[in-house]
Amino acid sequence: MDMDKVNSMDFGDFVEVFGNVIERCPLIAAAVWSQRPFSDLEDLEARFCAFIDVLPQSGQEGILRCHPDLAGRQLQRGTLTAESQREQSAAGLQGLGAEERRRLAELNAQYRARFGFPFVLAARLRDSAAVMSELARRLHCPPAQELRTALGEVKTIGRLRLRDLLGADPARL
Amino acid sequence: MDMDKVNSMDFGDFVEVFGNVIERCPLIAAAVWSQRPFSDLEDLEARFCAFIDVLPQSGQEGILRCHPDLAGRQLQRGTLTAESQREQSAAGLQGLGAEERRRLAELNAQYRARFGFPFVLAARLRDSAAVMSELARRLHCPPAQELRTALGEVKTIGRLRLRDLLGADPARL
């Protein structure tokens, strides 16, 4: 898909195609449509990131709260969005043993209790060992820093999803 | 459900229960959770409205773009959210004749082309004749005024949905 195609989309098509670039937040794609035309992929990415950056803190936390746990109930039940399913599978989170799953669930619960949002990570850039060690590390970060880190991961996930949709090279990230 | 119950919810439960108070915008419920505890239903309603009010205009338009057309394809295909399905049925939009459906589709398309978002109305407070006449009237309003009107309808829909969820009296609206 090229940018002329993207720029010619009505908002219905745009939200259908880009609505899950930010997990379960079609509102953001729908808002970004106001900024068309986009000059290129980087411009489109920048518009998604800029919208996230201008939200009040509660809205930024809200974005994070729309994300599923990594290796959580939704992965086991098969109720993840297609994008999350693919990303969590790519990190090998479907193949975890019972003990690893239990340990990850425990750390996820501690993280949620401490920060008030779930642990978000661009899983497909990592393997399951890295997911676990990142979670254990970030669990002890100061809250303001952790919010920034988590939003950075949301943006990375969004960039990778945009590159998938536009057929661009994900290795450039 | 009383406010103590609401105030004791973790964000996962809160988003599951209130995620569609604003149509297809779980991000907003997830953001509102940051403002707990809520003193009463009016306070909870006010938090949803306040979040909408502080969004940049593109975000407010984005909320509207997450709404389905009234009596549109999704109603016919049965792919509306449960809440929208109920509301559009209550206005009698499922029982329209072919000619009325054609006329409404035409006006909806004109409205979308003029304003860049779909026609949004708290349908369950109206019958199909009132939906049609309101659409014909609002189609000619100045864009800035129409954005305010449409967001007012979004808030009314949200208030009614909140009252449904909390078992409060919708007649007080």
Side-chain angles (χ1 to χ4, degrees):
Chain A
M1 195 176 352
D2 65 15
M3 272 297 139
D4 288 342
K5 173 86 188 295
V6 173
N7 286 327
S8 70
M9 287 179 172
D10 65 26
F11 65 80
D13 291 340
F14 191 87
V15 174
E16 197 166 310
V17 172
F18 297 109
N20 213 46
V21 163
I22 308 301
E23 177 78 8
R24 290 180 64 212
C25 294
L27 158 58
I28 299 183
V32 163
W33 186 80
S34 293
Q35 316 299 327
R36 75 197 184 293
F38 309 102
S39 53
D40 52 26
L41 174 57
E42 286 67 28
D43 182 37
L44 184 57
E45 289 176 0
R47 301 299 187 157
F48 275 89
C49 293
F51 188 84
I52 293 170
D53 289 337
V54 300
L55 284 178
Q57 182 175 329
S58 66
Q60 296 176 334
E61 293 169 349
I63 292 174
L64 296 169
R65 290 177 195 131
C66 290
H67 284 69
D69 275 346
L70 288 171
R73 278 179 305 183
Q74 290 174 289
L75 176 65
Q76 289 190 43
R77 290 179 186 166
T79 56
L80 289 172
T81 62
E83 293 86 348
S84 281
Q85 178 72 39
R86 203 163 46 232
E87 292 156 2
Q88 296 206 23
S89 296
L93 296 177
Q94 264 182 326
L96 293 183
E99 175 53 31
E100 286 174 299
R101 270 212 312 275
R102 196 198 54 74
R103 174 76 182 133
L104 201 53
E106 189 180 290
L107 290 174
N108 271 329
Q110 287 177 30
Y111 184 100
R112 285 196 308 267
R114 173 160 159 78
F115 298 111
F117 47 79
F119 175 67
V120 174
L121 183 81
R124 76 192 217 193
L125 299 178
R126 275 85 161 195
D127 61 18
S128 62
V131 168
M132 195 84 84
S133 65
E134 267 296 280
L135 174 46
R137 183 185 70 77
R138 283 170 47 188
L139 189 50
H140 302 289
C141 290
Q145 177 190 322
E146 184 52 25
L147 177 61
R148 282 195 303 277
T149 302
L151 291 173
E153 295 292 326
V154 167
K155 293 174 185 175
T156 299
I157 295 167
R159 282 195 195 96
L160 289 165
R161 290 182 180 182
L162 275 174
R163 277 154 201 260
D164 281 347
L165 289 165
L166 292 164
D169 181 5
R172 287 185 51 211
L173 256 182
Chain B
M1 195 177 351
D2 65 16
M3 272 298 138
D4 288 341
K5 174 86 188 296
V6 173
N7 287 327
S8 70
M9 287 179 171
D10 65 25
F11 65 80
D13 290 341
F14 191 88
V15 174
E16 199 166 309
V17 172
F18 298 109
N20 213 46
V21 164
I22 308 300
E23 177 78 8
R24 291 179 65 213
C25 295
L27 158 57
I28 300 183
V32 163
W33 185 79
S34 293
Q35 315 299 326
R36 75 197 183 292
F38 310 102
S39 53
D40 52 26
L41 174 59
E42 286 68 28
D43 182 36
L44 183 57
E45 289 175 0
R47 301 299 186 155
F48 275 88
C49 294
F51 188 85
I52 293 170
D53 289 336
V54 300
L55 284 178
Q57 182 176 329
S58 66
Q60 295 176 335
E61 293 170 347
I63 292 173
L64 296 169
R65 292 178 193 130
C66 290
H67 284 70
D69 274 346
L70 288 172
R73 278 179 305 181
Q74 290 174 289
L75 177 65
Q76 289 192 42
R77 291 179 185 165
T79 56
L80 289 171
T81 62
E83 294 86 348
S84 280
Q85 177 73 40
R86 203 161 49 233
E87 291 156 2
Q88 297 206 22
S89 298
L93 296 178
Q94 264 180 326
L96 294 183
E99 176 53 30
E100 286 173 299
R101 268 212 313 275
R102 196 197 54 73
R103 174 77 182 132
L104 200 53
E106 190 179 290
L107 290 174
N108 272 328
Q110 287 177 31
Y111 184 100
R112 285 195 308 268
R114 173 160 159 78
F115 298 111
F117 46 79
F119 176 66
V120 174
L121 183 81
R124 75 193 217 195
L125 299 178
R126 275 87 160 192
D127 61 18
S128 62
V131 168
M132 195 84 83
S133 65
E134 267 296 279
L135 174 46
R137 183 185 70 77
R138 283 170 48 186
L139 189 51
H140 302 289
C141 289
Q145 176 188 324
E146 183 52 24
L147 176 62
R148 281 194 304 276
T149 302
L151 291 173
E153 295 292 326
V154 167
K155 292 174 185 176
T156 300
I157 295 166
R159 282 195 194 97
L160 289 165
R161 291 182 180 182
L162 274 174
R163 278 155 200 261
D164 282 345
L165 289 165
L166 292 164
D169 181 5
R172 287 185 50 211
L173 256 181

